[in-house]
mmCIF file of all heavy atoms in Angstrom:
data_model
loop_
_atom_site.group_PDB
_atom_site.id
_atom_site.type_symbol
_atom_site.label_atom_id
_atom_site.label_comp_id
_atom_site.label_asym_id
_atom_site.label_seq_id
_atom_site.Cartn_x
_atom_site.Cartn_y
_atom_site.Cartn_z
ATOM 1 N N HIS A 44 100.060 5.810 90.767
ATOM 2 C CA HIS A 44 98.771 5.603 91.440
ATOM 3 C C HIS A 44 98.075 6.949 91.689
ATOM 4 O O HIS A 44 97.740 7.629 90.724
ATOM 5 C CB HIS A 44 99.002 4.795 92.723
ATOM 6 C CG HIS A 44 97.755 4.188 93.281
ATOM 7 N ND1 HIS A 44 96.912 3.396 92.528
ATOM 8 C CD2 HIS A 44 97.191 4.268 94.513
ATOM 9 C CE1 HIS A 44 95.896 3.007 93.289
ATOM 10 N NE2 HIS A 44 96.037 3.527 94.488
ATOM 11 N N ALA A 45 97.862 7.368 92.940
ATOM 12 C CA ALA A 45 97.238 8.679 93.190
ATOM 13 C C ALA A 45 98.271 9.738 93.561
ATOM 14 O O ALA A 45 97.911 10.900 93.775
ATOM 15 C CB ALA A 45 96.211 8.560 94.315
ATOM 16 N N HIS A 103 92.909 10.618 102.370
ATOM 17 C CA HIS A 103 92.541 9.657 103.401
ATOM 18 C C HIS A 103 93.776 8.790 103.632
ATOM 19 O O HIS A 103 94.786 8.968 102.942
ATOM 20 C CB HIS A 103 91.314 8.815 103.018
ATOM 21 C CG HIS A 103 91.482 7.918 101.840
ATOM 22 N ND1 HIS A 103 91.887 8.362 100.590
ATOM 23 C CD2 HIS A 103 91.294 6.569 101.686
ATOM 24 C CE1 HIS A 103 91.934 7.348 99.753
ATOM 25 N NE2 HIS A 103 91.591 6.245 100.383
ATOM 26 N N HIS A 105 94.146 5.274 103.650
ATOM 27 C CA HIS A 105 94.331 3.899 103.163
ATOM 28 C C HIS A 105 95.765 3.780 102.632
ATOM 29 O O HIS A 105 96.341 4.754 102.149
ATOM 30 C CB HIS A 105 93.320 3.584 102.057
ATOM 31 C CG HIS A 105 91.912 3.450 102.587
ATOM 32 N ND1 HIS A 105 90.800 3.504 101.768
ATOM 33 C CD2 HIS A 105 91.448 3.267 103.845
ATOM 34 C CE1 HIS A 105 89.712 3.347 102.509
ATOM 35 N NE2 HIS A 105 90.074 3.209 103.771
ATOM 36 N N ASP A 107 97.283 2.798 100.147
ATOM 37 C CA ASP A 107 97.709 3.175 98.793
ATOM 38 C C ASP A 107 97.712 4.698 98.614
ATOM 39 O O ASP A 107 97.971 5.187 97.514
ATOM 40 C CB ASP A 107 96.854 2.499 97.714
ATOM 41 C CG ASP A 107 95.370 2.783 97.832
ATOM 42 O OD1 ASP A 107 94.855 2.859 98.969
ATOM 43 O OD2 ASP A 107 94.704 2.930 96.779
ATOM 44 N N HIS A 108 97.445 5.426 99.716
ATOM 45 C CA HIS A 108 97.445 6.901 99.652
ATOM 46 C C HIS A 108 98.391 7.508 100.681
ATOM 47 O O HIS A 108 98.850 8.631 100.520
ATOM 48 C CB HIS A 108 96.024 7.439 99.840
ATOM 49 C CG HIS A 108 95.146 7.042 98.693
ATOM 50 N ND1 HIS A 108 94.780 7.914 97.709
ATOM 51 C CD2 HIS A 108 94.641 5.837 98.344
ATOM 52 C CE1 HIS A 108 94.055 7.262 96.802
ATOM 53 N NE2 HIS A 108 93.957 5.999 97.164
ATOM 54 N N HIS A 162 83.426 6.239 98.701
ATOM 55 C CA HIS A 162 84.447 5.253 98.319
ATOM 56 C C HIS A 162 83.745 3.925 98.034
ATOM 57 O O HIS A 162 83.995 2.916 98.704
ATOM 58 C CB HIS A 162 85.445 5.128 99.465
ATOM 59 C CG HIS A 162 86.805 4.614 99.066
ATOM 60 N ND1 HIS A 162 87.078 4.029 97.854
ATOM 61 C CD2 HIS A 162 87.986 4.609 99.762
ATOM 62 C CE1 HIS A 162 88.350 3.687 97.817
ATOM 63 N NE2 HIS A 162 88.926 4.023 98.952
ATOM 64 N N ASP A 192 89.506 9.313 96.312
ATOM 65 C CA ASP A 192 88.942 7.968 96.088
ATOM 66 C C ASP A 192 87.430 8.025 96.226
ATOM 67 O O ASP A 192 86.868 7.861 97.310
ATOM 68 C CB ASP A 192 89.523 6.974 97.108
ATOM 69 C CG ASP A 192 90.743 6.256 96.569
ATOM 70 O OD1 ASP A 192 91.251 6.658 95.506
ATOM 71 O OD2 ASP A 192 91.192 5.285 97.210
ATOM 72 N N ASN A 214 90.306 9.648 90.420
ATOM 73 C CA ASN A 214 90.933 8.358 90.687
ATOM 74 C C ASN A 214 90.103 7.275 90.005
ATOM 75 O O ASN A 214 89.003 6.946 90.446
ATOM 76 C CB ASN A 214 91.037 8.118 92.188
ATOM 77 C CG ASN A 214 92.089 9.017 92.825
ATOM 78 O OD1 ASN A 214 92.790 9.755 92.122
ATOM 79 N ND2 ASN A 214 92.203 8.969 94.136
ATOM 80 N N ALA A 218 88.773 0.232 91.218
ATOM 81 C CA ALA A 218 89.255 -0.642 92.298
ATOM 82 C C ALA A 218 88.084 -1.404 92.897
ATOM 83 O O ALA A 218 86.982 -0.864 93.019
ATOM 84 C CB ALA A 218 89.936 0.205 93.371
ATOM 85 N N THR A 227 86.370 2.916 93.230
ATOM 86 C CA THR A 227 86.860 4.147 92.590
ATOM 87 C C THR A 227 86.275 4.159 91.178
ATOM 88 O O THR A 227 85.577 3.218 90.779
ATOM 89 C CB THR A 227 88.402 4.219 92.544
ATOM 90 O OG1 THR A 227 88.906 3.110 91.785
ATOM 91 C CG2 THR A 227 88.996 4.198 93.948
ATOM 92 N N HIS A 249 95.415 6.707 89.195
ATOM 93 C CA HIS A 249 94.971 5.602 90.066
ATOM 94 C C HIS A 249 94.717 4.339 89.245
ATOM 95 O O HIS A 249 93.694 3.689 89.379
ATOM 96 C CB HIS A 249 93.705 6.046 90.829
ATOM 97 C CG HIS A 249 93.379 5.292 92.095
ATOM 98 N ND1 HIS A 249 92.588 4.170 92.091
ATOM 99 C CD2 HIS A 249 93.701 5.515 93.396
ATOM 100 C CE1 HIS A 249 92.430 3.745 93.339
ATOM 101 N NE2 HIS A 249 93.106 4.535 94.149
ATOM 102 N N HIS A 255 94.070 -4.381 93.124
ATOM 103 C CA HIS A 255 92.607 -4.440 92.958
ATOM 104 C C HIS A 255 92.045 -3.400 91.993
ATOM 105 O O HIS A 255 90.820 -3.336 91.822
ATOM 106 C CB HIS A 255 91.881 -4.389 94.309
ATOM 107 C CG HIS A 255 91.925 -3.075 95.018
ATOM 108 N ND1 HIS A 255 90.969 -2.728 95.951
ATOM 109 C CD2 HIS A 255 92.779 -2.039 94.947
ATOM 110 C CE1 HIS A 255 91.244 -1.516 96.421
ATOM 111 N NE2 HIS A 255 92.333 -1.089 95.832
ATOM 112 N N CYS A 256 92.905 -2.636 91.350
ATOM 113 C CA CYS A 256 92.449 -1.722 90.296
ATOM 114 C C CYS A 256 92.396 -2.516 88.994
ATOM 115 O O CYS A 256 93.435 -2.830 88.402
ATOM 116 C CB CYS A 256 93.392 -0.533 90.165
ATOM 117 S SG CYS A 256 93.323 0.589 91.567
HETATM 118 ZN ZN1 ZN B 1 92.985 4.408 96.343
#
Side-chain angles (χ1 to χ4, degrees):
H44 197 53
H103 64 305
H105 289 163
D107 57 323
H108 294 256
H162 203 347
D192 267 10
N214 288 356
T227 61
H249 201 270
H255 71 156
C256 291

